[in-house]
Amino acid sequence: MPKIISMTGMPGNSTYLPGILFKDDQAYYHAHVPALDITGYGITKEEAKASLQLAMKIYFERLMKERGLIKDMKLHGWMIGPHDVVPPDLLKSSLGGLEKCIESGSGVYRIGCRIKWPEGGLFG
């Protein structure tokens, strides 16, 4: 099972996923990881990040159990090779309807997380 970790170093067998954190016009914070199209939300920044982490945990657990993780990641533009797991090039992708949520003009902050893959990789 992949683990969501936060580290400054580059541990082997892991992938960094950039994200954004913003406040909507209803005063809720949203934490979003475009590479997986997963969002968490809350009244505070911390609640939004915790909600995102829980949503990602559920995403990985469910799709690994159903054996659909690789298929879903490929649908999101990931390149999956025998030894590599590479997230989509987010500069070439759009954030879809997310722009409408940011129209309030509030700050948008960069966030990110590091995914540590299982020892045997997604294939082992």
Side-chain angles (χ1 to χ4, degrees), residues 31-99:
H32 183 74
V33 174
L36 296 170
D37 195 23
I38 296 176
T39 303
Y41 65 93
I43 295 173
T44 66
K45 293 176 185 177
E46 293 74 25
E47 285 181 11
K49 290 177 186 178
S51 174
L52 174 64
Q53 188 167 3
L54 178 61
M56 290 178 67
K57 181 179 186 295
I58 292 168
Y59 166 84
F60 284 116
E61 285 177 354
R62 180 178 57 87
L63 286 175
M64 295 242 348
K65 183 178 179 181
E66 296 172 0
R67 300 196 176 272
L69 181 61
I70 293 173
K71 180 180 177 183
D72 191 69
M73 290 173 74
K74 285 182 178 180
L75 288 173
H76 282 97
W78 288 67
M79 293 190 321
I80 312 245
H83 304 289
D84 295 7
V85 179
V86 180
D89 182 353
L90 298 178
L91 296 176
K92 294 181 181 176
S93 67
S94 71
L95 294 177
L98 203 55
E99 294 91 357

